[in-house]
Amino acid sequence: MAYSTKQNTENSRVWRERAWTTLITAMGGKCQACDYVGPRQAYDLHHVSPNTKEKTVSVLIAQRNWKRVTDEARKCVLVCCRCHREIHAGARDCPPIVPFVVPEKLTEYTIVILHGTNNDYATRGCRCDACKAAHAEYEHRRRRGAVA
């Protein structure tokens, strides 16, 4: 089943959030340098040895390859954004890598269904007002020859 661009974007966002939350929780859920506990966006993964860095964990998460994500994260320490800046400035020592365990697969992946597309109307058979309107717009453009 094909999904609309809106759905793919939302599914990617959900997967990224789930991946980050799983990693942060597995790595202790707090800054390994100062014990700060905060929102997910306040944390960075610092590569202890930059020579072993293949890609940033963010890039690997965007590519949805969980094995590569966890392999790369094992080369890092979880630190808050402030401690990360201080480590790079030389004002703070880098904490040691702490071993962690993550699930082999990121299995709790759910597809989020968004309404308001012709695809929902035609493929899934949804007849909500938003999907009906999107289908009517699609048919209107198709009849004018504007749809490829």
Side-chain angles (χ1 to χ4, degrees):
M1 172 186 338
Y3 294 102
S4 70
T5 303
K6 243 182 180 179
Q7 287 170 324
N8 287 336
T9 301
E10 182 64 10
N11 290 338
S12 294
R13 186 192 65 73
V14 168
W15 198 90
R16 282 192 311 271
E17 284 296 320
R18 186 154 293 141
W20 274 114
T21 302
T22 302
L23 269 182
I24 290 168
T25 303
M27 295 178 89
K30 63 182 180 179
C31 175
Q32 293 172 3
C34 72
D35 292 336
Y36 168 78
V37 176
R40 178 194 75 76
Q41 295 80 359
Y43 296 106
D44 293 334
L45 291 180
H46 174 71
H47 280 83
V48 174
S49 177
N51 303 344
T52 62
K53 180 178 180 178
E54 289 180 40
K55 291 185 178 180
T56 65
V57 175
S58 297
V59 168
L60 295 173
I61 284 176
Q63 294 173 353
R64 292 189 181 193
N65 187 330
W66 186 240
K67 171 126 177 55
R68 288 185 66 200
V69 167
T70 57
D71 288 347
E72 196 65 27
R74 290 186 197 290
K75 305 173 192 173
C76 303
V77 291
L78 180 68
V79 290
C80 67
C81 54
R82 181 177 179 156
C83 287
H84 193 203
R85 303 315 176 268
E86 289 177 359
I87 290 168
H88 279 283
R92 179 183 289 273
D93 291 332
C94 180
I97 293 179
V98 176
F100 61 93
V101 178
V102 292
E104 202 170 294
K105 291 183 178 180
L106 196 58
T107 55
E108 295 181 27
Y109 174 62
T110 55
I111 294 176
V112 178
I113 303 295
L114 299 177
H115 292 276
T117 67
N118 180 61
N119 187 52
D120 291 336
Y121 183 92
T123 307
R124 292 189 318 113
C126 182
R127 297 299 183 258
C128 73
D129 291 339
C131 291
K132 283 181 189 176
H135 178 69
E137 173 64 24
Y138 171 82
E139 286 296 318
H140 178 72
R141 287 184 323 177
R142 185 182 66 80
R143 289 186 183 123
R144 285 192 330 212
V147 175

